[in-house]
DNA sequence: AATGATAGAATGAACATTCATTCAGTATTA
DNA sequence: TAATACTGAATGAATGTTCATTCTATCATT
């Protein structure tokens, strides 16, 4: 799986043939098929694995009983820090989201309201009902809060900028102000 | 080119073989090669075409002599309106940006400081030096301003939300507040 | 007007390559 | 020795690209 992660995140789905993934992993081509039904399944399993890892990272040190603002900033900074520390993970996720896989997954999730994003949804719902954040549709708040983060992470992973930790906190605060209900 | 646009934006690069593009365009497979050197060139040319179209859309009605705020909001709303009116264009651009094509292009542009994005850079530089917007690196301001827009456009094109024109103006204002120097 | 010649655009079958997947054989483990 | 894990050459489907040929429009000749 880490061989697949490296190749796909750097070269894209269609320039990461199973033969090369096997080479990089130091196994025979057929061995992969003992563990994964198909290339599609490998891609999807790897996605879920990364998603779980991210959720674990966010939950670590989560200030359960602090104010809404603290919890929001914790999640925001944890995520951005995770992406900066794991650029390959970030690039893989981005490619997945912008491929047919991601599109259909996104649709399914929103419609069935399942999946890990429910943590975010719960948080924002609390924020809206307590009038802590602006009264906008959840999905818009989500976009307003996390859209910039993806841009920042992308620029960082492409080595276009070098985000210091101070910048991360600064950006988190700026983005809190954008959704805050004043 | 419009056949390529439709297929690629809906199915992704690797599920849009030249043979199907030719079919959709109602021409023979070889005909494409009279106009484009290779599939890669077709993809790149189409990208530049769309980029030009967007630049034209932004420049239409640009309030040259109005305040910085007016010009920012004009650009922001024009872009989002364009993406909503042209969902296929948006999906194509997103796929391009998140593929190896886009990554290398982005790198080249930033390093050589050329390309159409100079309009945006000029605008933000003016904003920073006149203390109208927060004193942050241009690339961060850019992320903060346009990151959310991409999220909104994505959710809209996937039919997860339905953005009314009122929402667009509302969002533009919210995002002006996020970068404004208060 | 009628006929023939030329250009070059379009075609699509053929080719070479790439790739996911399989499976008969080999190595490893219990 | 039996069972399990692994291998990598072989397979066949899919795909980008080429090129000999066809078609159509324009020009030249009679």
């Amino acid at each position: 799986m880490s061989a697949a992660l490296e190749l796909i995140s750097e070269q894209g789905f269609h320039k990461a043939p199973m033969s090369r993934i096997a080479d990089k992993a130091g196994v025979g081509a057929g061995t992969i098929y003992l563990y994964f039904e198909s290339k599609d399944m490998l891609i999807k399993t790897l996605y879920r694995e990364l998603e779980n890892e991210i959720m674990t990272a966010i939950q670590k040190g989560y200030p359960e009983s602090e104010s809404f603002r603290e919890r929001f900033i914790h999640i925001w900074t944890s995520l951005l820090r995770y992406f900066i520390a794991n650029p390959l993970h970030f690039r893989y996720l981005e490619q997945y989201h912008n491929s047919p896989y991601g599109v259909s997954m996104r649709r399914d999730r929103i419609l069935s309201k399942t999946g890990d994003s429910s943590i975010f949804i719960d948080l924002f719902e609390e924020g809206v009902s307590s009038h802590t954040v602006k009264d906008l549709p959840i999905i818009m708040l989500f976009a307003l809060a996390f859209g910039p983060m993806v841009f920042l992470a992308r620029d960082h992973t492409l080595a276009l900028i070098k985000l210091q930790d101070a910048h991360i906190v600064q950006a988190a605060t700026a983005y809190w102000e954008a959704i805050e209900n004043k």
Side-chain angles (χ1 to χ4, degrees), chain A:
Chain A
M1 284 174 79
S2 68
L5 171 64
E6 270 189 63
L7 268 173
I8 294 174
S9 60
E10 280 165 3
Q11 312 267 352
F13 288 116
H14 56 294
K15 285 195 178 172
M18 293 298 259
S19 54
R20 253 204 284 177
I21 293 173
D23 274 1
K24 184 152 223 160
V27 299
T31 309
I32 298 177
Y33 288 86
L34 298 173
Y35 299 93
F36 303 97
E37 198 182 284
S38 64
K39 188 178 184 180
D40 262 37
M41 278 307 292
L42 169 60
I43 288 169
K44 283 181 185 158
T45 307
L46 178 51
Y47 178 81
R48 285 197 206 99
E49 177 99 348
L50 296 180
E51 207 175 36
N52 287 339
E53 213 182 290
I54 286 172
M55 285 302 147
T56 308
I58 287 177
Q59 274 149 21
K60 190 176 157 198
Y62 184 66
E64 193 87 53
S65 46
E66 298 273 338
S67 73
F68 179 85
R69 182 179 188 278
E70 296 309 314
R71 282 175 285 150
F72 170 81
I73 289 184
H74 171 85
I75 288 184
W76 206 94
T77 53
S78 304
L79 256 179
L80 185 47
R81 283 198 183 102
Y82 180 90
F83 288 147
I84 285 173
N86 303 280
L88 292 186
H89 296 212
F90 175 75
R91 288 228 54 72
Y92 184 89
L93 294 175
E94 279 294 279
Q95 295 203 48
Y96 190 92
H97 285 142
N98 286 287
S99 71
Y101 301 113
V103 169
S104 62
M105 182 207 69
R106 239 172 119 71
R107 235 192 279 267
D108 291 351
R109 283 219 181 146
I110 297 288
L111 296 179
S112 68
K113 290 183 181 170
T114 59
D116 291 321
S117 48
S118 57
I119 292 177
F120 300 110
I121 295 175
D122 290 349
L123 185 72
F124 278 124
E125 271 173 356
E126 181 197 324
V128 172
S129 62
S130 66
H131 303 291
T132 316
V133 303
K134 286 177 178 151
D135 185 24
L136 291 172
I138 301 291
I139 210 165
M140 271 185 80
L141 287 173
F142 196 82
L144 300 184
F146 293 103
M149 205 198 58
V150 170
F151 262 50
L152 290 181
R154 197 196 285 172
D155 289 339
H156 185 95
T157 61
L158 298 185
L160 302 180
I161 49 172
K162 197 142 181 65
L163 280 175
Q164 310 295 341
D165 206 69
H167 288 134
I168 296 178
V169 176
Q170 194 180 11
T173 311
Y175 270 80
W176 167 256
E177 283 173 20
I179 64 168
E180 189 183 12
N181 186 22
K182 277 164 292 201

